[in-house]
Each structure stands twice: as C-alpha cells, then as structure tokens.
Amino acid sequence: MEMIPVRGALDYRCFLGAPWRIDFAGSELGEIPYHVILGGSAVLEDPEGSSTRKLIAGDILLFPHGSAHTLHDGSDAAPAPARQRTTLTTAFHENDGTGDRLDMMCGRFIRSAARERLIRAYLPRRLILHAPDNSAAAAAPGTDAQVAGLVGLMRAESATENLGGLAMLNALSTALYAITLRLASEVIEPPDGLLALAGNPRLVPALSAPFNEPARAWTFPELAHRCNMSRATFIRHSQERLGRSASYLLSDIRMTVAANALEASDMPSPSLPDTNRTPPSSGRSSIEWASRPPRRAGCTRARLNSGSGLPPEFCYSRWG
C-alpha cells in the first residue's frame, strides 16, 4: 500500500540450540514485528488464543497488529541462557544449547502510527507464510522465488561485515514487506481484508481504483462496472472478501490520504485554514477534514493522530 510508507529494520539474527525460548512483548504503535525461519524449526505460542503452530525453514511470520507472542523449541525445558554479539551489520542472539539449532532473522516494519487504523482494520492479526515447498500456496509464477531470493540476500548480507551492510539489510527488509504481502494475497485461502480482495482477480480493478484515485467520489456501480459485475454481485463479493462493506474501505482510504496531506504540510496544524486548499493528490479538502476535530463519539484530534481508539462511526459518518 503505497499510501502507507513503510521502512524495514533487521533487529537481530538468532543462532539458538534447544532448549530456547523468546517472549516478545507487544510492539509500539506503528510497528509490525516479523520473523524469518532460515534453519531448524520453532513453535509459536499466541497468548491471544490462536492455536499453537510449528514453523519450519522458509516460513515467514508477521504480526500486523504488533501482538505479543512467544517462540520456543517445543520442549518444556528451561531455556539455556542467551547472550548478544554485535557486528558492524547485525546483532546476534546466541546460546550454548546443544539440541536442535534454530537460525532465524527477527526485525520490524515501521510506519506512521497515524496509519494504525487502516492496518488493523484490513490486515489480519497475524500472518504465517509457509515455505513454498511445504505449502499448497498457489503463488503466481515467480513470487515464491522472489521471496526466497530476497531472504537469501538478507541471510548472506547479515553473515558478513560489508561496507554499507546495515543500510543494505534495512533496504532489503523494507522490500520484504511488499513481497510478503503480495505472496499472502496469492495463497488459495487468504484471510479476510485487503489481502483477500487482492487475491481475487475479478475484484482487483475495484481495489486499485480508489487507491489510485482517492479523491474521486467512487460509486458502487462504477466499481462494479470496472469488475464487469452487476452492482449486487460486486457488493456481495466485496462483502465476503473484506468482511465489511466496500464503503468502509473508501472512507478509510480517504482518511489516510487526509492524514498524509496533513503530515506533509509545512504549516503548523492548528493554523491550517478551513478552506478548499487541497493538495493535488489528496482530494476532498483533505487538510480541512484532517485538521478539523471529529464531531462524533467524542473523538479528539490526539486519538486521530495516534490511530488508536477511533470508533468506526467517525471514519464512516463524515465522508458520505
């Protein structure tokens, strides 16, 4: 999603022998933790109630909502003490365990906290992308190879101390965000939300239109026409895939564009004029909408900027 700028960061690479265990606290707003299993295996425990899952080499795990989680070797043994070792490019997390060994990269995708609502509304709480050779993923030709190639580059770069290696790793980590979401949209049974919508070729024209032209007052008949569907068929399919009405997505896209316009403005936000002074790509007096305090549900401007606690009625009531 180009309207949600993201940068990646590789935090550390784990070389751990069983028994081992890592407890990850919930992330800060605007952060998506990720893990890439390069070798060995790990067991995922999710304190929010999702089932325990075993991850193997080639699997990629993302938590778009920044949820707390635990990874361990699958035993009940007390973990061996771990230590940190830092090179010019990478921090290594190691122990002296003698059991099965894990090789794993851990990092974060970082975005503005003001975009938190869009991420939480349309991406699942967690994403597990299985290694192509060990899943029934129907990825488009080349996508799985692109993911594997990118991970291979990150693995090689993190193992050496090249000049500019840290910048290279962070750039590759940023690219990993886009390519993993693309792969996730191509699996046979993607979750609800934007990934599910993007995974249906018939609905892709309706998904790309509002992202490309957020200022346009899109209607259901126009979007349905782009998909060669009737209005009723389009509404039914989009509801099934998104898990909510497409009008919600249109409203959230416009709110995100408004937040981008406000963030990019060189004027202090309290002095933004209540006029039609609209940046070329934002549409619908975005600065005006984003700078004016919400009128419903007692939502303050601070809550809008933080991206947390926004009641659905606010985002959907003001755009019409």
Side-chain angles (χ1 to χ4, degrees), residues 38-49:
L38 301 175
S41 62
V43 174
L44 166 65
E45 284 189 5
D46 190 339
E48 296 191 27

Side-chain angles (χ1 to χ4, degrees), residues 12 14 16 20-24 35 69-73 79 93 102 104 106:
Y12 48 86
C14 297
L16 299 172
W20 61 268
R21 178 186 180 95
I22 310 177
D23 296 308
F24 297 90
H35 310 285
H69 55 286
T70 295
L71 294 172
H72 59 83
D73 64 288
H93 190 66
L102 170 77
M104 176 176 68
C106 300

